[in-house]
Amino acid sequence: MSKRDERVRAREEHAKLGEEIAAHDRAYYQNDAPIISDAEYDALRQRYQALEAEFPELVDENSLSRTVGAAPAEKFAKVAHAVPMLSLGNIFSDEELEDFVARVKRFLGLDPQAEVAFTAEPKIDGLSCSLRYEKGVLVSAATRGDGLVGEDVTANVRTIADIPQKLAGAPPEIIDVRGEVYMSHSDFAALNERQAAAEKPLFANPRNAAAGSLRQLDANITAQRPLKFFAYAWGELVWGAAEPAPPADTQMGVIAAFRDFGFTVNPLTILCRSAAEMLAHFRDIESRRAALGYDIDGVVYKVNDLALQQRLGFVSRAPRWATAHKFPAEKAISVVRDIEIQVGRTGVLTPVARLDPVTVGGVVVSNATLHNEDEITRKDIRVGDSVIVQRAGDVIPQILGIVPEKRPEGAKPYEFPHVCPACGSAAVREIDAKTGEAEAARRCTGTLVCPAQAVERLRHFCSRNAFDIEGLGDKQIAFFYDKGLIGAPADIFTLQRRDRESLTKIENFEGFGKVSTRKLFAAIEARREIALNRFIFALGIRHVGETNAIRLARSFETFDALRETARHATPGSEARRRINDIDGIGEVVAEAVADFFVEPHNERALDALLAEVRILPMEALKSDSPVAGKTVVFTGSLEKMTRDEAKAMAERLGAKVSSSVSKKTDLVIAGADAGSKLAKARELGVEVIDEDGWLALVGGA
Ligand code: IVH
């Protein structure tokens, strides 16, 4: 395969993966109903990132690797911690707590009955941060990183209200104040509401939201995120000559000094004199956990006397003088009343268990995801079964398994539906081409008719490289769908006719008006004729992107020929082979094409659509374009198209799109606020044009 083909393939795969990952993100974060396991999800992410590593031009502002969770760590300057940021050992039981206390005493050569004081405080579930103050002034801030070297987040930290820029009182010469950056439950909920309103991805939990907010390249974004900070530890500490000397010979003393400096310290920090007291405090904090208003995942105990801390020292990367007592994953037993199937926006069927409401760790749970068909079979979960429900930290509830002895008589194994509950079309499990095994997810094939998929499909149908209907963007589609005016593709083309006969005219809807309504109708009319490849692409058949649409169009020449073959393309048939044999199209695509055309619901929707539009022969692929073979760079913000569209357009015309300007660059298209790339182009004497110049050059391709 030529390098160019490879790039085209990589781009296609990247886009597909991007869609898939985004769909899984929505399933997980928004619908509380993941479709795949964490490991499968990680594998998708890894492949996505590997593609970007190999083809850096794939990384743009829309890349998922720029969004939730995966902040581009390499973009932050590195900061070496003067004193390493340690982690903590974990304990999980009362016995382990006794052992910890006994071990400390043994190490110090103390009598087992001797009294050693420990502080006990909540373990905050955020991300730790080290703040360096010199002469009381904040000079830098770093994340933990690997404990030795972290990322410089100084500008971001300066936006956090809990963190003083200048220390109050009598601060030391130098101090690294350490603590946890976190987000409260209410701020987290409000942030996600704002994200949802802006159609941006939601954060999974307050910790991710805090991490994502702190590790922003643009501190202005951090400033809009309500982050908080608890100070609980320190790194380098040089008290200097300041008088009076602060009370710094105990952990509690330093924490009190932190408070005097202007930090927030956790009010649930107390001093304990025995394992029994520590345990009592652990139980107390555990019982208040749900009402704290922020996530904690345990209690941290620290030897109070700093001289003893010094003597105890460290084992590998954790102090001997401290440990984290973790809360157990919370579990409860409930009864499965029903198993419901949700259909996601991409047609995946996800089973959800409806449970008798039960409190798990302070939260009432009445639904739990069952992931997929195989998961139900593996755990043999039946309606009526008593099940063990677990909520670990903040993750969505899972069903660990059933309580076999409580199974009611006559409970029947669950039969996963083979039709989509939303539209009645067949729901199929694809065979993975590599492993030959059925995929975990069962998918609805009623692409054109399924209400669960409708909005997503309509968006695709109207998108630039499909029907390209101006004025029917995401918002308008959702609007018309909600109003019941557009449900299936054909409805777009009957909209004007129906509007003429309707009493509630579109022009009277808010945001429309006479002019834009007329424009919209004109834009729709202009697309009643469409090239075959675009038409095939617009149908949204699984695995049929632009390239495969072109392959099918080229091979069949007419839509009727494709349809006739595909509707008979049962496995092993001559027709299936005919599709399968097309260069570049394999079994997976052939199966998806057949599934689509075999589905009677789609057939009817297609007939309706074909009554409205006329299909023209395949588009001439414009390799005679003036930009064919040229290396182009887009920079600045474009107004008439997105960066992705511009790139796709350039590539369709045979140009190579690069992300950086060099001597090899033929043309730079500079939008508004173009910066260093534009300067570089000027310096190298590369031709620069604006967006309109580009559109003129490519003839509105
Ligand atoms: S003390 C040498 N105290 O837990 C002791 N850590 O598992 C350093 N954490 O990286 C940590 N709350 O991010 C300490 N009250 C607390 C804490 C706390 C949360 C985190 C911190 C650390 C991790 C270790």
Side-chain angles (χ1 to χ4, degrees):
M1 208 187 322
S2 75
K3 196 71 194 162
R4 207 182 134 203
D5 285 351
E6 255 180 59
R7 278 180 199 287
V8 172
R9 270 218 182 164
R11 178 167 292 277
E12 271 182 19
E13 188 185 349
H14 181 262
K16 272 243 157 345
L17 273 174
E19 275 178 29
E20 245 178 88
I21 294 170
H24 288 308
D25 282 346
R26 282 194 298 268
Y28 183 94
Y29 298 130
Q30 297 176 13
N31 306 340
D32 255 14
I35 298 151
I36 54 174
S37 69
D38 288 357
E40 286 167 311
Y41 178 84
D42 289 346
L44 290 181
R45 274 267 180 191
Q46 267 164 21
R47 174 71 188 142
Y48 187 81
Q49 264 147 17
L51 282 172
E52 291 191 345
E54 199 180 343
F55 301 99
E57 73 268 22
L58 296 177
V59 184
D60 59 26
E61 63 271 28
N62 297 324
S63 166
L64 291 175
S65 48
R66 291 262 169 112
T67 58
V68 207
E74 69 279 9
K75 294 286 164 56
F76 289 95
K78 301 273 184 249
V79 184
H81 299 298
V83 172
M85 286 182 83
L86 301 166
S87 58
L88 293 170
N90 290 323
I91 57 175
F92 295 92
S93 65
D94 303 5
E95 296 74 47
E96 283 177 300
L97 169 58
E98 308 262 357
D99 288 350
F100 166 71
V101 173
R103 207 164 46 239
V104 164
K105 291 183 189 170
R106 205 166 42 243
F107 189 90
L108 293 171
L110 296 174
D111 187 281
Q113 306 310 321
E115 191 181 286
V116 175
F118 289 85
T119 57
E121 69 200 69
K123 184 172 188 302
I124 318 297
D125 201 5
L127 73 157
S128 52
C129 202
S130 186
L131 315 169
R132 191 169 185 82
Y133 290 84
E134 288 174 10
K135 296 198 188 332
V137 176
L138 177 65
V139 292
S140 74
T143 62
R144 179 171 183 273
D146 62 1
L148 301 175
V149 178
E151 293 159 347
D152 183 347
V153 288
T154 314
N156 309 40
V157 154
R158 288 193 195 282
T159 69
I160 300 176
D162 274 354
I163 296 181
Q165 303 286 322
K166 235 179 141 238
L167 301 184
E173 275 294 301
I174 297 175
I175 185 168
D176 296 323
V177 176
R178 292 176 175 172
E180 205 83 353
V181 173
Y182 69 100
M183 197 180 279
S184 74
H185 289 158
S186 55
D187 287 338
F188 168 71
L191 171 63
N192 261 354
E193 262 174 39
R194 290 202 299 278
Q195 291 283 106
E199 298 193 358
K200 292 198 180 130
L202 302 190
F203 292 101
N205 53 51
R207 179 167 34 78
N208 281 6
S213 302
L214 184 67
R215 297 167 81 240
Q216 282 287 340
L217 291 175
D218 180 357
N220 292 317
I221 299 180
T222 312
Q224 292 158 20
R225 304 276 174 82
L227 294 174
K228 294 200 157 102
F229 184 78
F230 278 127
Y232 54 63
W234 59 97
E236 193 171 17
L237 174 50
V238 181
W239 284 108
E243 290 291 337
D249 54 356
T250 61
Q251 180 76 29
M252 271 303 204
V254 181
I255 297 300
F258 282 175
R259 201 183 42 219
D260 296 342
F261 293 159
F263 286 102
T264 309
V265 296
N266 195 289
L268 295 178
T269 309
I270 65 158
L271 201 59
C272 300
R273 289 186 173 74
S274 66
E277 279 184 36
M278 290 153 84
L279 197 57
H281 196 48
F282 177 81
R283 296 267 178 270
D284 183 38
I285 291 182
E286 194 177 26
S287 71
R288 299 174 185 220
R289 183 179 182 185
L292 284 181
Y294 50 88
D295 279 343
I296 63 171
D297 57 350
V299 171
V300 181
Y301 309 118
K302 299 169 187 167
V303 169
N304 189 39
D305 186 325
L306 299 190
L308 295 185
Q309 285 192 4
Q310 187 76 28
R311 280 174 57 195
L312 284 155
F314 308 94
V315 244
S316 64
R317 305 288 283 279
R320 239 185 234 108
W321 46 266
T323 197
H325 192 171
K326 300 293 261 310
F327 296 133
E330 289 150 297
K331 288 180 201 149
I333 291 183
S334 184
V335 177
V336 177
R337 290 295 166 207
D338 196 7
I339 295 177
E340 276 178 19
I341 305 291
Q342 291 179 346
V343 189
R345 300 210 294 188
T346 55
V348 172
L349 274 53
T350 303
V352 177
R354 301 282 175 224
L355 307 169
D356 280 347
V358 60
T359 308
V360 194
V363 172
V364 178
V365 169
S366 50
N367 301 318
T369 177
L370 294 169
H371 299 285
N372 56 50
E373 198 166 344
D374 293 344
E375 181 81 359
I376 300 182
T377 313
R378 198 167 59 77
K379 294 184 176 154
D380 188 19
I381 297 169
R382 306 180 185 189
V383 172
D385 269 342
S386 289
V387 289
I388 304 158
V389 186
Q390 173 172 301
R391 241 184 96 244
D394 41 58
V395 297
I396 58 167
Q398 311 279 329
I399 290 184
L400 292 184
I402 63 163
V403 186
E405 53 282 9
K406 287 198 166 182
R407 170 164 287 169
E409 228 172 280
K412 292 192 196 65
Y414 181 71
E415 278 185 39
F416 203 94
H418 290 201
V419 292
C420 169
C423 73
S425 300
V428 300
R429 290 178 73 169
E430 292 177 4
I431 304 295
D432 187 299
K434 286 193 197 87
T435 62
E437 280 171 28
E439 279 194 350
R442 190 174 279 279
R443 249 173 233 278
C444 165
T445 59
T447 309
L448 292 184
V449 289
C450 183
Q453 301 177 65
V455 172
E456 200 74 359
R457 286 306 159 209
L458 287 166
R459 278 181 186 161
H460 173 79
F461 187 85
C462 297
S463 66
R464 187 115 187 162
N465 300 334
F467 265 77
D468 189 18
I469 300 178
E470 214 166 304
L472 260 189
D474 295 359
K475 275 208 195 90
Q476 291 83 355
I477 289 171
F479 179 82
F480 285 127
Y481 184 80
D482 289 342
K483 287 255 177 271
L485 287 172
I486 297 180
D491 300 340
I492 294 170
F493 295 96
T494 58
L495 188 63
Q496 185 170 17
R497 236 180 285 151
R498 284 179 288 129
D499 190 56
R500 230 175 270 141
E501 289 151 19
S502 165
L503 295 176
T504 46
K505 304 266 185 232
I506 293 174
E507 63 181 42
N508 297 328
F509 290 144
E510 200 176 314
F512 282 87
K514 270 198 170 52
V515 179
S516 48
T517 309
R518 202 175 323 123
K519 271 194 186 156
L520 172 64
F521 289 150
I524 294 173
E525 282 314 300
R527 293 291 184 262
R528 276 196 195 267
E529 298 196 330
I530 182 166
L532 176 59
N533 52 312
R534 277 178 176 261
F535 184 79
I536 298 172
F537 173 64
L539 297 178
I541 304 169
R542 221 170 119 65
H543 301 303
V544 179
E546 278 180 276
T547 311
N548 281 337
I550 289 171
R551 288 178 178 137
L552 290 167
R554 192 178 277 148
S555 174
F556 283 100
E557 292 182 9
T558 67
F559 187 70
D560 285 346
L562 165 65
R563 187 178 181 184
E564 221 16 65
T565 304
R567 60 153 62 115
H568 296 114
T570 47
S573 66
E574 182 58 36
R576 173 72 76 91
R577 221 166 304 131
R578 161 80 179 83
I579 303 174
N580 210 342
D581 282 350
I582 299 172
D583 210 16
I585 288 196
E587 181 51 39
V588 173
V589 183
E591 184 186 20
V593 171
D595 284 344
F596 177 90
F597 284 98
V598 166
E599 173 52 50
H601 294 81
N602 288 339
E603 290 243 284
R604 283 198 288 280
L606 260 183
D607 287 337
L609 178 61
L610 290 170
E612 299 295 331
V613 303
R614 199 164 81 85
I615 302 177
L616 306 176
M618 192 173 110
E619 280 175 321
L621 295 178
K622 299 177 189 161
S623 54
D624 53 347
S625 159
V627 297
K630 298 264 167 67
T631 300
V632 303
V633 173
F634 291 93
T635 182
S637 48
L638 304 176
E639 276 163 14
K640 305 203 168 125
M641 51 195 165
T642 65
R643 193 63 85 77
D644 267 354
E645 286 171 25
K647 283 182 177 177
M649 181 194 276
E651 276 165 6
R652 249 196 338 266
L653 299 173
K656 173 173 179 275
V657 180
S658 166
S659 53
S660 60
V661 176
S662 73
K663 276 186 294 193
K664 291 193 192 131
T665 310
D666 294 301
L667 183 63
V668 168
I669 298 93
D673 303 322
S676 60
K677 288 182 198 168
L678 175 59
K680 181 101 183 265
R682 296 235 160 92
E683 187 188 310
L684 294 173
V686 174
E687 186 183 351
V688 177
I689 57 173
D690 63 9
E691 192 177 353
D692 288 335
W694 164 257
L695 290 171
L697 184 67
V698 298

Short mmCIF file of all heavy atoms in Angstrom, two decimals, residues 86-88 90 121-128 144 179-180 232-233 300 302 314 319 321-322 324, ligand 1:
data_model
loop_
_atom_site.label_atom_id
_atom_site.label_comp_id
_atom_site.label_asym_id
_atom_site.label_seq_id
_atom_site.Cartn_x
_atom_site.Cartn_y
_atom_site.Cartn_z
N LEU A 86 5.55 11.29 47.95
CA LEU A 86 5.41 9.85 48.19
C LEU A 86 3.97 9.39 48.04
O LEU A 86 3.05 10.19 48.04
CB LEU A 86 5.88 9.55 49.61
CG LEU A 86 7.34 9.95 49.88
CD1 LEU A 86 7.62 9.92 51.36
CD2 LEU A 86 8.28 9.01 49.13
N SER A 87 3.84 8.08 47.93
CA SER A 87 2.48 7.55 48.00
C SER A 87 2.31 6.89 49.36
O SER A 87 3.20 6.94 50.19
CB SER A 87 2.24 6.56 46.86
OG SER A 87 3.19 5.53 46.95
N LEU A 88 1.16 6.29 49.59
CA LEU A 88 0.89 5.70 50.89
C LEU A 88 0.63 4.21 50.75
O LEU A 88 0.06 3.76 49.76
CB LEU A 88 -0.36 6.33 51.50
CG LEU A 88 -0.29 7.80 51.91
CD1 LEU A 88 -1.67 8.32 52.27
CD2 LEU A 88 0.67 7.96 53.09
N ASN A 90 -1.48 0.87 51.80
CA ASN A 90 -2.92 0.73 52.06
C ASN A 90 -3.19 -0.34 53.09
O ASN A 90 -2.51 -1.37 53.11
CB ASN A 90 -3.63 0.27 50.78
CG ASN A 90 -3.65 1.36 49.75
OD1 ASN A 90 -3.81 2.53 50.10
ND2 ASN A 90 -3.48 1.00 48.50
N GLU A 121 -7.29 11.52 59.33
CA GLU A 121 -8.00 12.51 58.51
C GLU A 121 -8.53 11.83 57.24
O GLU A 121 -8.01 10.78 56.83
CB GLU A 121 -7.04 13.63 58.13
CG GLU A 121 -5.96 13.16 57.14
CD GLU A 121 -4.73 14.07 57.10
OE1 GLU A 121 -3.98 14.10 58.09
OE2 GLU A 121 -4.54 14.72 56.06
N PRO A 122 -9.51 12.42 56.59
CA PRO A 122 -10.05 11.80 55.38
C PRO A 122 -9.01 11.74 54.26
O PRO A 122 -8.16 12.63 54.16
CB PRO A 122 -11.20 12.72 54.96
CG PRO A 122 -11.50 13.54 56.15
CD PRO A 122 -10.24 13.64 56.94
N LYS A 123 -9.07 10.69 53.48
CA LYS A 123 -8.23 10.60 52.28
C LYS A 123 -9.06 11.16 51.13
O LYS A 123 -10.06 10.56 50.74
CB LYS A 123 -7.83 9.15 52.02
CG LYS A 123 -6.88 8.99 50.84
CD LYS A 123 -6.37 7.57 50.77
CE LYS A 123 -5.28 7.39 49.75
NZ LYS A 123 -5.65 7.76 48.40
N ILE A 124 -8.66 12.31 50.65
CA ILE A 124 -9.44 13.01 49.63
C ILE A 124 -9.20 12.38 48.26
O ILE A 124 -8.06 12.11 47.89
CB ILE A 124 -9.03 14.50 49.55
CG1 ILE A 124 -8.83 15.09 50.96
CG2 ILE A 124 -10.03 15.31 48.74
CD1 ILE A 124 -10.03 15.12 51.82
N ASP A 125 -10.29 12.19 47.52
CA ASP A 125 -10.15 11.58 46.21
C ASP A 125 -10.05 12.66 45.13
O ASP A 125 -11.02 12.99 44.46
CB ASP A 125 -11.36 10.66 45.94
CG ASP A 125 -11.05 9.63 44.88
OD1 ASP A 125 -9.89 9.57 44.43
OD2 ASP A 125 -11.97 8.89 44.51
N GLY A 126 -8.87 13.23 45.02
CA GLY A 126 -8.64 14.27 44.01
C GLY A 126 -7.30 14.00 43.38
O GLY A 126 -6.97 12.86 43.09
N LEU A 127 -6.51 15.07 43.17
CA LEU A 127 -5.15 14.80 42.72
C LEU A 127 -4.20 15.68 43.51
O LEU A 127 -4.54 16.82 43.86
CB LEU A 127 -4.98 15.02 41.21
CG LEU A 127 -4.99 16.42 40.66
CD1 LEU A 127 -4.26 16.44 39.32
CD2 LEU A 127 -6.42 16.87 40.46
N SER A 128 -3.05 15.11 43.86
CA SER A 128 -2.19 15.85 44.76
C SER A 128 -1.35 16.85 43.99
O SER A 128 -1.08 16.70 42.80
CB SER A 128 -1.33 14.91 45.58
OG SER A 128 -0.67 14.02 44.73
N ARG A 144 1.80 15.70 40.94
CA ARG A 144 2.67 14.69 41.52
C ARG A 144 3.56 14.04 40.46
O ARG A 144 4.72 13.74 40.70
CB ARG A 144 1.82 13.62 42.21
CG ARG A 144 2.63 12.53 42.82
CD ARG A 144 1.75 11.62 43.67
NE ARG A 144 2.57 10.62 44.31
CZ ARG A 144 2.89 9.47 43.74
NH1 ARG A 144 2.46 9.18 42.54
NH2 ARG A 144 3.64 8.60 44.39
N GLY A 179 -1.03 19.03 49.04
CA GLY A 179 -2.41 18.70 49.39
C GLY A 179 -3.15 18.23 48.17
O GLY A 179 -2.55 17.92 47.15
N GLU A 180 -4.46 18.21 48.31
CA GLU A 180 -5.28 17.62 47.27
C GLU A 180 -6.15 18.67 46.60
O GLU A 180 -6.87 19.42 47.26
CB GLU A 180 -6.18 16.54 47.93
CG GLU A 180 -6.63 15.46 46.99
CD GLU A 180 -5.57 14.36 46.81
OE1 GLU A 180 -4.43 14.51 47.32
OE2 GLU A 180 -5.90 13.36 46.15
N TYR A 232 -2.39 19.15 53.38
CA TYR A 232 -2.21 18.09 54.38
C TYR A 232 -0.78 17.59 54.55
O TYR A 232 -0.51 16.71 55.35
CB TYR A 232 -3.14 16.90 54.10
CG TYR A 232 -3.02 16.31 52.70
CD1 TYR A 232 -1.83 15.74 52.25
CD2 TYR A 232 -4.10 16.32 51.83
CE1 TYR A 232 -1.72 15.22 50.98
CE2 TYR A 232 -3.99 15.79 50.55
CZ TYR A 232 -2.79 15.24 50.13
OH TYR A 232 -2.68 14.73 48.88
N ALA A 233 0.15 18.07 53.75
CA ALA A 233 1.53 17.55 53.86
C ALA A 233 2.50 18.61 53.32
O ALA A 233 2.08 19.67 52.86
CB ALA A 233 1.67 16.25 53.08
N VAL A 300 -6.52 8.59 56.36
CA VAL A 300 -5.05 8.53 56.41
C VAL A 300 -4.60 8.73 57.86
O VAL A 300 -5.05 9.65 58.53
CB VAL A 300 -4.42 9.62 55.51
CG1 VAL A 300 -2.89 9.53 55.56
CG2 VAL A 300 -4.91 9.50 54.08
N LYS A 302 -1.26 9.30 60.34
CA LYS A 302 0.14 9.72 60.30
C LYS A 302 0.66 9.84 61.72
O LYS A 302 -0.06 10.36 62.60
CB LYS A 302 0.27 11.10 59.61
CG LYS A 302 -0.22 11.12 58.17
CD LYS A 302 -0.32 12.53 57.61
CE LYS A 302 -0.97 12.49 56.24
NZ LYS A 302 -1.38 13.81 55.75
N PHE A 314 11.27 5.79 55.35
CA PHE A 314 10.48 5.29 54.23
C PHE A 314 10.81 3.85 53.86
O PHE A 314 11.91 3.39 54.11
CB PHE A 314 10.76 6.14 52.99
CG PHE A 314 10.59 7.59 53.27
CD1 PHE A 314 11.67 8.38 53.64
CD2 PHE A 314 9.34 8.16 53.19
CE1 PHE A 314 11.50 9.72 53.93
CE2 PHE A 314 9.16 9.50 53.48
CZ PHE A 314 10.24 10.29 53.85
N PRO A 319 5.95 6.27 53.15
CA PRO A 319 6.48 6.45 54.50
C PRO A 319 6.08 5.30 55.43
O PRO A 319 5.01 4.73 55.27
CB PRO A 319 5.82 7.76 54.97
CG PRO A 319 4.61 7.92 54.13
CD PRO A 319 4.85 7.20 52.84
N TRP A 321 5.68 5.91 58.49
CA TRP A 321 4.94 6.59 59.55
C TRP A 321 3.50 6.94 59.17
O TRP A 321 2.80 7.60 59.93
CB TRP A 321 5.69 7.85 60.00
CG TRP A 321 6.20 8.72 58.86
CD1 TRP A 321 7.43 8.68 58.32
CD2 TRP A 321 5.47 9.72 58.15
NE1 TRP A 321 7.55 9.59 57.30
CE2 TRP A 321 6.35 10.26 57.18
CE3 TRP A 321 4.18 10.24 58.23
CZ2 TRP A 321 5.97 11.27 56.30
CZ3 TRP A 321 3.81 11.25 57.35
CH2 TRP A 321 4.70 11.75 56.40
N ALA A 322 3.08 6.51 57.99
CA ALA A 322 1.71 6.83 57.57
C ALA A 322 1.13 5.68 56.77
O ALA A 322 1.86 4.86 56.20
CB ALA A 322 1.69 8.09 56.73
N ALA A 324 -2.83 4.49 54.53
CA ALA A 324 -4.20 4.83 54.13
C ALA A 324 -5.11 3.65 54.42
O ALA A 324 -4.86 2.54 53.96
CB ALA A 324 -4.25 5.17 52.65
S1 IVH B 1 -0.43 12.25 52.85
C1 IVH B 1 3.82 11.12 52.70
N1 IVH B 1 -2.94 12.82 53.29
O1 IVH B 1 -3.34 9.86 48.61
C2 IVH B 1 2.36 11.29 52.74
N2 IVH B 1 -2.36 11.94 51.16
O2 IVH B 1 -2.24 7.20 48.24
C3 IVH B 1 1.84 11.89 51.53
N3 IVH B 1 -4.24 11.79 49.62
O3 IVH B 1 -0.64 10.85 46.62
C4 IVH B 1 0.38 11.85 51.37
N4 IVH B 1 -5.76 12.61 50.96
O4 IVH B 1 -2.78 12.24 46.57
C5 IVH B 1 -2.05 12.34 52.40
N5 IVH B 1 -5.11 13.44 53.78
C6 IVH B 1 -4.23 12.96 52.92
C7 IVH B 1 -4.59 12.58 51.63
C8 IVH B 1 -3.62 12.07 50.79
C9 IVH B 1 -5.51 12.14 49.76
C10 IVH B 1 -3.67 11.19 48.40
C11 IVH B 1 -2.45 11.84 47.86
C12 IVH B 1 -1.41 10.76 47.78
C13 IVH B 1 -2.25 9.53 47.80
C14 IVH B 1 -1.49 8.36 48.34
#
